[in-house]
Amino acid sequence: MNAEHRPVTVVGLGSMGSALAAALLDRGHPTTVWNRSPDKARSLVDRGARLAGTPREAIAASPLTIACVLDYETLYSVLDPAAGELAGRTLVNLTSGSPEQAHEAVKWAHSHGAGYLDGAIMTTPPGVGDPAMMFLYSGSREVFDAHRPTLATLGDPLHLGTDPGLASLYDAALLGLMWSTMTGWLHGTALVGAERTSATAFTPVAIRWLGAVAGFLTTYAPQVDAGRYPGDDATVDVQIAAIDHLIHAAAARGIDNALPELLKAAMEKAAAAGHGQDSYASLIEVLRKPADSEA
């Protein structure tokens, strides 16, 4: 069998699982699928997928099983009865969960003689199959390398390390970054929208600004690692003064200020902890020790 077209099983055919199976089919992988509701497999079967009657049959069909179900409780309820088929095979778990759940899952998989990778999908279903989209994996490097060509069918596979909880941890951290960024954009959009500027007019400028923000992150990362925050670009005290302008402008236009007020409170905690003349990166000290910062 061509290494680029190895058989794969996909367990779970929600929106994401169906997208995973479709991407594998598009790249020529013999694909077996299973879902509690077989009707969800109809379009995939029409495209050439093989529908398994049971999870045991599905796992037995391929050296690699990719699971993408609702949660870990569902994962075990589906796979426990079929665990005997996992010996000598690999389970890649793309079910969302916590790092702690990933650690339990790798123990469970190893107890049944299976290789295991935990993963996180950093896109929505329409992005599956796009090589620009990140798929995060953690666990055995040997298992990852063995199946990398297949995993690359889904998106750009990034191995984060051998700790199986890393993919889930990165997933949570990156989603936090996404929500914070999108909410900041929406707040800014509401602010300029109060003066009849459209979101489509504001957004290209906002995206260009995010390029500069990415540069700030690159500058601040080594400061965070070193625990030293030279305030030679803009100090926390300067940022506190600047965010007041945002708060006042938003208040004058009736825009909700919960987000900037929250950010200002974090800045003020950092300043009170002695970081007023340090860079914005020094807020990490407040975020790492919130109880201490309030003491």
Side-chain angles (χ1 to χ4, degrees), residues 7-77:
V8 187
T9 288
V10 176
V11 171
L13 298 177
S15 296
M16 186 60 79
S18 294
L20 298 172
L24 290 162
L25 287 167
D26 287 346
R27 289 286 294 272
H29 289 274
T31 304
T32 299
V33 298
W34 181 87
N35 193 68
R36 286 189 194 276
S37 303
D39 287 350
K40 289 190 175 181
R42 185 173 297 127
S43 64
L44 294 166
V45 171
D46 289 344
R47 296 172 63 172
R50 174 176 174 262
L51 177 61
T54 64
R56 183 181 296 275
E57 180 186 339
I59 293 170
S62 311
L64 171 64
T65 292
I66 297 174
C68 185
V69 294
L70 178 64
D71 52 28
Y72 276 73
E73 182 179 356
T74 303
L75 179 75
Y76 293 125
S77 71

Side-chain angles (χ1 to χ4, degrees), residues 76-102:
Y76 293 125
S77 71
V78 169
L79 295 187
D80 267 331
E85 294 294 338
L86 283 169
R89 305 179 192 277
T90 295
L91 173 64
V92 173
N93 182 24
L94 296 178
T95 301
S96 295
S98 69
E100 291 72 25
Q101 288 174 313

Side-chain angles (χ1 to χ4, degrees), residues 54-212:
T54 64
R56 183 181 296 275
E57 180 186 339
I59 293 170
S62 311
L64 171 64
T65 292
I66 297 174
C68 185
V69 294
L70 178 64
D71 52 28
Y72 276 73
E73 182 179 356
T74 303
L75 179 75
Y76 293 125
S77 71
V78 169
L79 295 187
D80 267 331
E85 294 294 338
L86 283 169
R89 305 179 192 277
T90 295
L91 173 64
V92 173
N93 182 24
L94 296 178
T95 301
S96 295
S98 69
E100 291 72 25
Q101 288 174 313
H103 281 278
E104 289 301 315
V106 72
K107 292 177 184 175
W108 177 88
H110 287 173
S111 75
H112 294 291
Y116 180 88
L117 288 174
D118 207 75
I121 304 170
M122 305 313 298
T123 184
T124 54
V128 173
D130 183 342
M133 297 296 107
M134 293 189 299
F135 277 62
L136 309 180
Y137 299 96
S138 54
S140 166
R141 181 76 205 203
E142 182 180 1
V143 171
F144 174 80
D145 288 341
H147 295 284
R148 191 187 189 287
T150 301
L151 298 176
T153 297
L154 307 176
D156 184 16
L158 302 181
H159 187 261
L160 302 175
T162 57
D163 180 338
L166 281 174
S168 292
L169 195 63
Y170 268 64
D171 183 33
L174 292 172
L175 287 174
L177 175 63
M178 177 190 74
W179 291 320
S180 299
T181 302
M182 291 199 303
T183 306
W185 166 72
L186 288 168
H187 187 271
T189 298
L191 181 59
V192 299
E195 301 294 339
R196 294 193 171 89
T197 297
S198 69
T200 51
F202 173 64
T203 298
V205 180
I207 291 173
R208 186 171 176 180
W209 172 236
L210 287 176

